[in-house]
């Protein structure tokens, strides 16, 4: 991680293959999002315990503190979160070399060069989002997430606005299935979310332990309620596994259908054929294909 701390603010120095505005489009894809607010190309978000204003200045990510500068240890936590949030440790040279020879990916990487997977550094949040999104549309998934956060999360107030933090695993571990069903989670999803929260709280489940596993996907799918789609979602968005592949993802199917001008969504066999040359970078290929769904916003 490369960053410069000037005490009143700090700057994270991203790799050259980073486009803040391209990532901003992804973060601005739903008006139901409550974990951050975007105003004039700035992201306002509570990171760790601190409200941060995140902007891009001269290819540096600048982080300011609207409610007062936190101690040095807290500033470092924020810097580490930013580095992981935008997947800045990932060297994209291999992906761009591969994509330049691929008829599907080539126009996407030319158009969205510097886009990185916008990650979910908190493991519990990643699991909840993966479970919530199972077999429902994106709008309803956001609605459920918003209800969960506003019911069980915490917030700070700045200039009359609420800035929310995702509920902790400890908070959700103490709930009953009925508590989540009241928010319109299904019985099964409520059970899955509470179970994951309890596994994290008791120390059986952590990012560190998962990353030590020889077969991460197999370890994830051994958890109740986590199938291949959800496992690969967590691997892609939280564990920085660039080869994670949500091959059954509806968004991926829709993007391929639109880009290739297909009359119907592609079959799994067709997608496997399209992705034959994406080895090691299926997660990034998927993320760039998702980006194509949001139109020309930048």
């Amino acid at each position: 991680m490369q960053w410069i701390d000037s005490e009143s603010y700090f700057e994270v120095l991203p790799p050259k293959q980073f486009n803040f505005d391209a990532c901003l489009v992804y973060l601005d894809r739903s008006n139901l999002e409550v974990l951050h607010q975007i105003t004039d190309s700035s992201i306002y978000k509570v990171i760790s315990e601190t409200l941060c204003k995140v902007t891009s200045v001269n290819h540096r990510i600048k982080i300011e503190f609207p409610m007062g500068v936190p101690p040095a240890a807290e500033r470092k936590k924020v810097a580490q979160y930013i580095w992981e949030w935008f997947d800045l440790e990932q060297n994209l040279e291999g992906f761009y070399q591969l994509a330049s020879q691929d008829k599907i990916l080539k126009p996407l990487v030319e158009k969205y060069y510097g886009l990185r997977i916008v990650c979910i550094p908190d493991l519990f949040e990643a699991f909840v989002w993966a479970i919530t999104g199972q077999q429902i549309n994106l709008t309803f998934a956001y609605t459920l997430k918003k209800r969960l956060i506003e019911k069980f999360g915490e917030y700070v107030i700045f200039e009359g606005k609420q800035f929310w933090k995702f509920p902790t695993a400890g908070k959700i571990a103490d709930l009953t299935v009925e508590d989540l069903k009241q928010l319109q989670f299904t019985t099964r999803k409520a059970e899955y979310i509470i179970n994951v929260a309890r596994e994290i709280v008791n120390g059986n489940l952590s990012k560190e332990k998962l990353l030590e596993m020889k077969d991460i996907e197999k370890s994830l799918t051994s958890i109740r309620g986590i199938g291949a789609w959800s496992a690969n979602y967590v691997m892609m968005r939280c564990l920085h596994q660039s080869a994670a592949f949500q091959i059954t993802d509806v968004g991926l199917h829709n993007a391929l259908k639109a880009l290739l001008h297909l009359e119907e969504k592609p079959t799994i066999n067709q997608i496997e054929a399209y992705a034959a040359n994406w080895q090691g970078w299926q997660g990034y290929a998927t993320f760039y294909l998702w980006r194509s769904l949001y139109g020309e916003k930048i």
Side-chain angles (χ1 to χ4, degrees):
M1 180 179 68
Q2 300 181 42
W3 67 303
I4 300 172
D5 190 350
S6 65
E7 296 188 2
S8 61
Y9 68 92
F10 67 82
E11 294 177 324
V12 171
L13 310 181
K16 65 177 182 178
Q17 297 161 329
F18 173 68
N19 186 327
F20 182 83
D21 289 337
C23 295
L24 204 63
V25 171
Y26 182 80
L27 289 168
D28 200 25
R29 71 194 187 281
S30 175
N31 58 12
L32 293 172
E33 178 62 71
V34 294
L35 288 178
H36 60 262
Q37 298 180 31
I38 297 175
T39 304
D40 298 328
S41 298
S42 298
I43 308 167
Y44 290 82
K45 180 176 178 62
V46 178
I47 299 175
S48 186
E49 304 298 327
T50 304
L51 178 63
C52 302
K53 177 184 178 183
V54 184
T55 55
S56 179
V57 180
N58 297 324
H59 195 64
R60 295 182 176 187
I61 304 172
K62 184 178 182 180
I63 296 90
E64 299 172 277
F65 308 103
M67 297 182 68
V69 180
E74 175 72 1
R75 295 198 300 273
K76 186 174 183 180
K77 286 183 182 179
V78 172
Q80 290 170 333
Y81 185 98
I82 295 289
W83 192 261
E84 188 172 356
W85 192 22
F86 292 116
D87 200 30
L88 298 179
E89 193 66 28
Q90 195 77 252
N91 184 343
L92 296 187
E93 286 287 349
F95 174 60
Y96 285 136
Q97 289 175 8
L98 173 154
S100 68
Q101 306 298 317
D102 187 273
K103 67 176 184 179
I104 294 174
L105 299 181
K106 184 177 180 180
L108 297 180
V109 298
E110 290 174 350
K111 187 178 292 186
Y112 309 128
Y113 186 86
L115 173 66
R116 286 174 176 265
I117 291 176
V118 179
C119 296
I120 304 175
D122 179 70
L123 180 65
F124 179 58
E125 182 184 339
F127 266 111
V128 172
W129 193 220
I131 293 168
T132 301
Q134 293 171 357
Q135 299 180 324
I136 60 174
N137 64 51
L138 190 61
T139 299
F140 189 46
Y142 266 108
T143 300
L144 290 176
K145 187 177 83 162
K146 183 174 185 288
R147 290 173 184 169
L148 180 76
I149 293 166
E150 292 180 343
K151 179 71 173 179
F152 300 111
E154 297 179 351
Y155 63 85
V156 300
I157 296 177
F158 177 68
E159 294 184 345
K161 296 181 180 179
Q162 295 176 329
F163 296 86
W164 288 90
K165 291 177 58 179
F166 198 81
T168 64
K171 178 79 173 181
I172 303 302
D174 291 335
L175 300 182
T176 66
V177 168
E178 290 302 316
D179 291 326
L180 294 186
K181 286 180 67 177
Q182 290 176 11
L183 306 180
Q184 282 192 285
F185 283 89
T186 65
T187 299
R188 289 286 178 260
K189 287 185 180 180
E191 290 172 350
Y192 300 157
I193 288 170
I194 292 170
N195 175 63
V196 166
R198 290 173 179 170
E199 289 294 290
I200 289 173
V201 169
N202 66 27
N204 291 336
L205 185 58
S206 70
K207 287 169 73 171
E208 293 74 21
K209 287 184 176 180
L210 285 170
L211 289 170
E212 290 173 355
M213 298 295 179
K214 185 175 181 180
D215 188 335
I216 297 176
E217 183 176 354
K218 184 177 180 180
S219 298
L220 286 167
T221 54
S222 70
I223 299 168
R224 185 166 177 252
I226 304 299
W229 181 88
S230 298
N232 278 276
Y233 188 89
V234 172
M235 290 164 65
M236 172 189 180
R237 296 290 308 280
C238 184
L239 301 179
H240 306 278
Q241 303 296 299
S242 61
F245 196 16
Q246 293 178 282
I247 197 166
T248 60
D249 182 74
V250 172
L252 171 66
H253 298 181
N254 287 334
L256 287 168
K257 179 176 181 285
L259 283 171
L260 299 175
H261 307 291
L262 304 175
E263 292 185 4
E264 298 179 349
K265 292 178 184 178
T267 65
I268 296 300
N269 286 341
Q270 286 175 313
I271 296 171
E272 288 175 343
Y274 298 145
N277 297 319
W278 300 354
Q279 290 301 313
W281 294 103
Q282 293 95 325
Y284 261 87
T286 299
F287 202 76
Y288 271 67
L289 283 158
W290 285 351
R291 170 62 185 87
S292 71
L293 295 170
Y294 307 136
E296 299 313 307
K297 295 186 178 182
I298 59 172

